[in-house]
Amino acid sequence: MLVLVDRFVFVLLIFSLFLFFIYIWEQTECCSSTTYAVMTQLPLYPEYVPHFEEIEKLIQQNSASNVTAELVPPYYRLENRYLVSPPYRLATCEIEKNMVTLRHSIFCYLTNTTQFIAQNRSISTEFWDNWLCDETFLRESISSVKDTIGPNLTLFAVIRHPVDRFLSGYVDKCLKDLTYYAEENRCFGCQKDVHCFVDALHNVFMEYYNNRSKNGRDPEAARMNDFYVRHFAPQTWYCELKEHRNEYIILNYHTGPNSTRSIAEDYYKLFERAGVPKKHLKTIYSEMMKGTTRHSTANSLERKVVEQQLLSDTYVMRRLMQMY
């Protein structure tokens, strides 16, 4: 009898160790580490650094030069869009070209899980022309978000390196997109002229800031301005950051090797902290690991060509520095 008890205890111990190792594997496999702030790292584009240092030096010297006079002001309140998930007291602010499509799909899944699963939808393949969810989980201000969720919410935004974001937007909207404008009209009619586009974009930003963007312009020009400002504006123009930046958890839009895994891990940890159930966490993580959405430009030939052109062009790099 004593031998049987010893064997039972031994088997129970082995089984417990097995469960423990399974738990450890799940934790490390999905979410080894994350940060809730933009991480300090080497510059993604070292070509950007000299222009930043030039402007920084001029500002410190209070130098009134054309370079500093044309700096786009850091804050302007654009129309905002927030996604909310009341059951988890979770909200995020949309910044165009910063995983907007994916986050929209994730929040649709969290808000309408039963229907999402019943219709065999997939987070990684949802797209704006065929959304499952309506706008019931969208809000236009932080105050309306708090009215819906309450003050103790988890509010986050995704921030991307400005040159990386510009490249993505330029390839998507100026070289590939034919949905909104014909090829000869898109991007202010600049077509494939990057110099033309950054100058036009800079002018529109300054007009917007000074509330001149719609005065004296025809409706079509105003619509075009609105469209490109919406997709290219400085990230600090979104999300009411001037007033509420300390309330945000900032997630970094990772690039380079293992970037997909790093982003998925950040989301996993953040959503886990917000109380999203384990089964939903695993679904979101798995879908994010499938990679980019339909209109991603990350690995396209156009992106590589434009990136080489831009990074070797001092004029364009300085203009980007002035804008971002």
Side-chain angles (χ1 to χ4, degrees):
M1 183 67 179
L2 185 59
V3 173
L4 290 175
V5 171
D6 288 343
R7 285 180 178 176
F8 176 76
V9 171
F10 177 74
V11 171
L12 185 61
L13 177 61
I14 294 298
F15 183 68
S16 299
L17 286 172
F18 173 75
L19 292 179
F20 175 74
F21 285 125
I22 289 293
Y23 170 79
I24 294 297
W25 177 82
E26 284 185 345
Q27 297 303 308
T28 56
E29 190 269 339
C30 269
C31 314
S32 57
S33 64
T34 190
T35 179
Y36 297 116
V38 176
M39 295 185 297
T40 302
Q41 55 185 337
L42 292 174
L44 180 61
Y45 297 100
E47 296 86 350
Y48 202 61
V49 174
H51 306 290
F52 175 83
E53 292 176 344
E54 174 194 17
I55 291 175
E56 186 177 44
K57 183 177 180 180
L58 289 171
I59 291 173
Q60 290 172 350
Q61 294 173 348
N62 293 319
S63 175
S65 70
N66 289 335
V67 175
T68 55
E70 295 184 356
L71 291 177
V72 172
Y75 294 110
Y76 178 86
R77 187 164 179 172
L78 289 178
E79 294 180 2
N80 290 295
R81 287 166 61 92
Y82 298 86
L83 308 176
V84 297
S85 180
Y88 309 113
R89 307 179 71 83
L90 186 64
T92 187
C93 173
E94 293 186 340
I95 299 176
E96 294 293 341
K97 304 308 300 177
N98 290 11
M99 305 180 72
V100 167
T101 302
L102 181 65
R103 274 185 288 157
H104 198 108
S105 302
I106 290 172
F107 272 75
C108 179
Y109 169 76
L110 290 175
T111 304
N112 204 358
T113 308
T114 301
Q115 187 180 0
F116 201 94
I117 295 172
Q119 293 193 16
N120 198 29
R121 295 281 186 149
S122 172
I123 291 171
S124 59
T125 57
E126 285 284 292
F127 202 62
W128 61 265
D129 58 0
N130 190 29
W131 292 124
L132 169 66
C133 293
D134 57 22
E135 296 190 353
T136 56
F137 68 116
L138 294 176
R139 299 294 182 271
E140 295 181 351
S141 67
I142 287 183
S143 62
S144 62
V145 169
K146 291 180 178 179
D147 288 342
T148 301
I149 296 178
N152 299 318
L153 72 158
T154 300
L155 175 65
F156 75 97
V158 178
I159 301 298
R160 187 174 188 176
H161 191 291
V163 176
D164 185 54
R165 178 171 172 263
F166 175 84
L167 282 167
S168 175
Y170 182 79
V171 173
D172 182 35
K173 301 305 177 188
C174 299
L175 301 184
K176 296 175 65 176
D177 181 60
L178 292 174
T179 303
Y180 296 98
Y181 295 103
E183 184 174 356
E184 64 272 16
N185 297 324
R186 63 191 178 193
C187 290
F188 310 113
C190 292
Q191 299 187 31
K192 297 182 179 180
D193 187 340
V194 182
H195 278 227
C196 170
F197 180 65
V198 295
D199 280 342
L201 192 62
H202 178 270
N203 289 338
V204 170
F205 287 164
M206 299 302 277
E207 289 179 355
Y208 244 76
Y209 184 80
N210 293 300
N211 295 315
R212 297 196 307 266
S213 62
K214 297 180 181 179
N215 296 336
R217 290 185 177 272
D218 64 83
E220 182 54 38
R223 278 194 295 271
M224 180 175 285
N225 287 352
D226 289 343
F227 179 79
Y228 291 113
V229 167
R230 182 72 203 168
H231 287 85
F232 287 92
Q235 293 168 86
T236 50
W237 282 23
Y238 299 81
C239 304
E240 303 172 80
L241 283 173
K242 183 177 182 180
E243 300 84 8
H244 298 281
R245 60 187 179 276
N246 292 330
E247 299 176 38
Y248 277 93
I249 293 169
I250 301 298
L251 297 185
N252 190 18
Y253 188 113
H254 298 278
T255 58
N258 300 316
S259 58
T260 299
R261 179 178 294 276
S262 296
I263 294 170
E265 289 177 354
D266 285 356
Y267 272 74
Y268 189 104
K269 282 289 189 180
L270 179 64
F271 288 173
E272 183 179 48
R273 169 178 164 177
V276 175
K278 189 84 169 182
K279 61 181 180 179
H280 296 339
L281 292 174
K282 289 183 176 181
T283 296
I284 293 168
Y285 181 86
S286 174
E287 287 293 301
M288 292 185 72
M289 287 299 294
K290 292 179 180 179
T292 56
T293 56
R294 192 197 308 177
H295 61 176
S296 173
T297 66
N299 298 312
S300 67
L301 177 61
E302 297 100 324
R303 164 68 183 251
K304 293 176 182 177
V305 171
V306 173
E307 183 172 337
Q308 291 175 355
Q309 176 188 353
L310 184 149
L311 295 179
S312 62
D313 192 317
T314 300
Y315 180 86
V316 173
M317 291 300 292
R318 175 177 287 176
R319 186 60 95 190
L320 290 179
M321 185 66 249
Q322 291 171 328
M323 290 193 291
Y324 300 123

